Amino acid sequence: MAEFKEQLSQLRLFIETCKKDVNVLHLPELKFFKEYLESLGASVPSKSTQQGPKTTSNAQKENSNFGSTVLDDEIDDGSANESEVESDIELDNEGVISPDPEEPHEMGGDPEAEVSEEDQDKADEKRSEAQTAIGDGDYEKAVQLFTEAIVLNPGAAALFAKRASCFLKINKPNACIRDCNKAIELNPDNAQAYKYRGRAHRLLGHWEEAAKDLATACRLDYDDQANEWLKEVQPNAKKLVEHERKYARLREEKDLKDRLARAQKLREEREAAAKEFEDTRSPFADGAAPGGGGGGMPNISSLLSDPDILQALQDPEVAAEIGRAHV
């Protein structure tokens, strides 16, 4: 097994040499090997007119300059860690309140069910009473009356939007959001539902969601109050958007730095392997390296006579890798 691993190591070094000098595959004594690769579907590049393989220093100049420039000039500028990124944003959280408990409340029955004329009339009566309670400033009572109306007519989006406005008045933004979600589900063009949901998000400190909903409300049916609320949340929302863009840019730069570092490491490993091949005489070496000199490259005919090596070369991926050798 140890001998086989050594032989595979020699084969790997041979492949690295092919990558550095395509002319190796065009040596007369390797004609049989080139034909074998082509029989497996590999494409062997034409013979190059360049004299000899590239030196390690030339390869580094061509392959490393771009990566080092990016790393030195750009990536270091975005090396802040996540805690630093998170701490560089200051929001005005005045007016933000603690969220109300996520307790379910009455949402009515099947909104698709047919509502009788009698139930419709009763629901209208409850709605009228709720409006009176709102005028009196009794929002808890208004919530109760709107709930009774919703039970009678569960398909009315306006009832959910009205009850949502009452939940806002008693500082229950989560309950308001649930009612607005239902109203929008029943009627996607209900501007009041977007308006109250946007305000509820503002009370919870959900600045981006608030800005989006309030802008939608103004687009569907312009409202001075909705526009004032929108202007109130826009500064924080813009800060968050800019912060997210900055964070995304830093993450992209970090990922790029990591990729370039991995690529640099791979180049160094390949160059080290090529140098090892150039500096180490193979136990099989009795031939001459391309361009003169002895012992620089193993005697491939001897190397490939080993049945284990030949079996490894039956792998199409190995053959294709050798066939892709380039300058």
Side-chain angles (χ1 to χ4, degrees):
M1 179 62 70
E3 181 180 357
F4 177 62
K5 289 183 178 179
E6 176 64 23
Q7 292 168 344
L8 286 180
S9 176
Q10 291 294 322
L11 180 59
R12 179 173 61 83
L13 293 176
F14 168 63
I15 293 174
E16 291 296 337
T17 298
C18 292
K19 289 181 177 180
K20 296 180 68 175
D21 186 1
V22 69
N23 293 338
V24 170
L25 290 173
H26 292 276
L27 292 174
E29 56 266 37
L30 289 180
K31 179 180 179 182
F32 75 99
F33 185 56
K34 175 174 173 290
E35 292 175 349
Y36 167 69
L37 294 176
E38 292 174 337
S39 71
L40 294 178
S43 177
V44 178
S46 301
K47 188 173 182 179
S48 172
T49 58
Q50 182 174 344
Q51 296 298 319
K54 293 180 182 178
T55 64
T56 299
S57 60
N58 288 337
Q60 288 177 332
K61 287 180 182 178
E62 292 185 9
N63 295 328
S64 301
N65 286 344
F66 173 74
S68 62
T69 299
V70 174
L71 288 173
D72 294 341
D73 298 341
E74 297 181 13
I75 300 304
D76 288 343
D77 293 338
S79 59
N81 58 41
E82 293 185 16
S83 62
E84 292 173 338
V85 174
E86 291 295 336
S87 64
D88 70 356
I89 182 170
E90 295 182 1
L91 300 175
D92 180 4
N93 288 316
E94 182 179 356
V96 174
I97 65 175
S98 299
D100 50 309
E102 294 282 352
E103 298 176 352
H105 50 269
E106 179 63 60
M107 302 297 284
D110 181 6
E112 300 294 332
E114 184 177 353
V115 178
S116 66
E117 185 175 341
E118 180 181 358
D119 285 344
Q120 180 69 60
D121 291 340
K122 290 180 179 179
D124 290 343
E125 290 177 7
K126 294 296 181 181
R127 176 175 179 171
S128 178
E129 292 176 24
Q131 290 295 142
T132 300
I134 290 175
D136 295 337
D138 191 346
Y139 298 104
E140 293 282 1
K141 182 178 181 181
V143 166
Q144 179 182 350
L145 290 167
F146 277 125
T147 299
E148 293 177 14
I150 287 171
V151 171
L152 292 166
N153 186 10
L159 292 176
F160 286 99
K162 284 291 187 179
R163 188 174 67 173
S165 69
C166 296
F167 279 131
L168 273 181
K169 292 292 187 179
I170 57 178
N171 289 331
K172 289 187 175 182
N174 280 323
C176 172
I177 290 172
R178 287 195 295 274
D179 270 8
C180 290
N181 289 343
K182 185 65 175 181
I184 293 170
E185 177 186 332
L186 294 171
N187 178 12
D189 293 328
N190 190 310
Q192 292 296 299
Y194 283 105
K195 172 184 174 180
Y196 296 134
R197 190 173 71 176
R199 185 61 177 177
H201 279 307
R202 181 261 178 269
L203 294 177
L204 292 170
H206 303 162
W207 305 106
E208 292 178 88
E209 294 88 341
K212 181 178 179 181
D213 277 347
L214 291 168
T216 301
C218 290
R219 177 175 57 82
L220 291 172
D221 186 9
Y222 181 81
D223 180 302
D224 285 338
Q225 186 179 52
N227 189 50
E228 290 179 10
W229 288 350
L230 175 60
K231 291 179 180 179
E232 181 182 333
V233 302
Q234 279 179 331
N236 280 346
K238 289 180 179 178
K239 286 181 181 179
L240 286 168
V241 170
E242 292 171 359
H243 168 76
E244 289 172 0
R245 288 175 179 170
K246 177 181 178 181
Y247 182 76
R249 185 178 69 255
L250 291 178
R251 291 297 304 171
E252 290 174 357
E253 291 173 349
K254 182 179 182 300
D255 290 344
L256 176 59
K257 180 178 179 180
D258 292 342
R259 290 196 301 271
L260 290 175
R262 290 194 297 270
Q264 178 67 19
K265 182 179 179 181
L266 181 59
R267 283 195 296 269
E268 292 172 354
E269 290 175 349
R270 288 179 174 174
E271 290 166 359
K275 188 176 186 301
E276 179 185 350
F277 175 79
E278 294 170 355
D279 296 345
T280 305
R281 291 180 60 87
S282 165
F284 301 97
D286 56 7
M297 186 179 74
N299 188 317
I300 301 304
S301 298
S302 174
L303 179 63
L304 297 181
S305 66
D306 186 282
D308 292 328
I309 295 296
L310 288 175
Q311 182 178 1
L313 288 174
Q314 296 296 321
D315 187 337
E317 293 185 359
V318 173
E321 177 65 22
I322 299 173
R324 286 194 295 267
H326 59 279
V327 179

